[in-house]
């Protein structure tokens, strides 16, 4: 495989991201796995690494950007220590999801779609976790939690702290 130069990229992430791409053989059909590994290494997928990945895989930056923005599991900005993904789809909303979201915002000190100022919590919306009959549902640091009641949110958040 010919060696690719990444010298034009003024980024501390150029070398590690290029290594990840190379570990996947610089194959465009490994883009999802590469983005997963980049996020595992950096904690998120910053904009500055998109052209590096695009060059390594011989894709356009727009193609890489399209994938990163399509899948909500890729974070474009650093997340909090704990990531709470709350379901906003219909079944969970009709089971009291709005009240749970309000309680989560109060307990974590942040708004849906944001990260708390102390960096402890990120609140994200997701649209169906496959737990519809047991809503409102959430993923808390990757673990599914069902039938969340607003009055239990404080305890859930305290457990994380
Ligand atoms: S609607 Fe919330 S888990 Fe399906």
């Amino acid at each position: 495989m010919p060696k690719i130069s990444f010298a034009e990229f003024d980024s501390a992430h150029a070398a590690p991201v290029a290594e990840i791409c190379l570990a996947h053989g610089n194959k465009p059909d490994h883009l999802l796995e590469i983005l997963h590994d980049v996020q595992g290494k950096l904690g998120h997928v910053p904009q500055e690494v998109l052209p590096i990945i695009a060059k390594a895989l011989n894709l356009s930056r727009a193609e890489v950007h399209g994938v990163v923005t399509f899948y909500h599991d890729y974070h474009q900005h650093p997340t909090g220590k704990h990531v709470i993904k709350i379901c906003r789809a219909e079944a969970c909303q009709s089971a009291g999801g709005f009240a749970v979201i309000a309680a989560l915002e109060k307990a974590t000190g942040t708004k849906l779609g944001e990260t708390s100022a102390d960096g402890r919590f990120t609140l994200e919306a997701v649209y169906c976790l496959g737990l519809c009959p047991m809503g409102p549902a959430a993923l808390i640091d990757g673990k599914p939690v069902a039938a969340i009641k607003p009055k239990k949110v404080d305890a859930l958040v305290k457990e994380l702290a």
Side-chain angles (χ1 to χ4, degrees):
M1 183 173 302
K3 190 159 173 53
I4 301 170
S5 169
F6 294 93
E8 80 246 39
F9 299 108
D10 182 23
S11 167
H13 302 314
V17 169
E19 266 176 42
I20 289 170
C21 293
L22 190 59
H24 287 274
N26 290 335
K27 293 181 180 162
D29 57 342
H30 285 214
L31 178 56
L32 295 180
E33 293 93 333
I34 288 167
L35 292 171
H36 182 269
D37 290 354
V38 167
Q39 183 158 285
K41 178 128 189 134
L42 306 179
H44 66 295
V45 183
Q47 282 288 314
E48 71 186 73
V49 307
L50 304 190
I52 299 166
I53 296 170
K55 181 172 181 181
L57 307 188
N58 198 23
L59 295 170
S60 72
R61 184 183 168 162
E63 287 171 304
V64 178
H65 182 265
V67 171
V68 171
T69 53
F70 181 80
Y71 293 102
H72 295 283
D73 277 339
Y74 297 125
H75 296 111
Q76 296 174 66
H77 303 285
T79 59
K81 184 175 175 201
H82 301 287
V83 177
I84 301 171
K85 299 180 179 196
I86 182 81
C87 179
R88 291 199 63 197
E90 221 169 274
C92 284
Q93 293 309 292
S94 64
F98 285 117
V100 171
I101 289 168
L104 277 168
E105 288 180 333
K106 189 172 175 210
T108 59
T110 191
K111 294 281 181 199
L112 196 61
E114 296 179 6
T115 296
S116 58
D118 62 8
R120 288 169 60 209
F121 302 104
T122 294
L123 283 187
E124 292 181 347
V126 290
Y127 295 88
C128 198
L129 296 163
L131 297 167
C132 319
M134 297 175 282
L139 278 182
I140 300 181
D141 291 336
K143 285 190 207 150
V145 181
I148 304 171
K149 301 289 176 221
K151 65 185 178 195
K152 295 203 170 162
V153 163
D154 275 346
L156 273 175
V157 170
K158 275 190 186 128
E159 267 177 43
L160 297 173

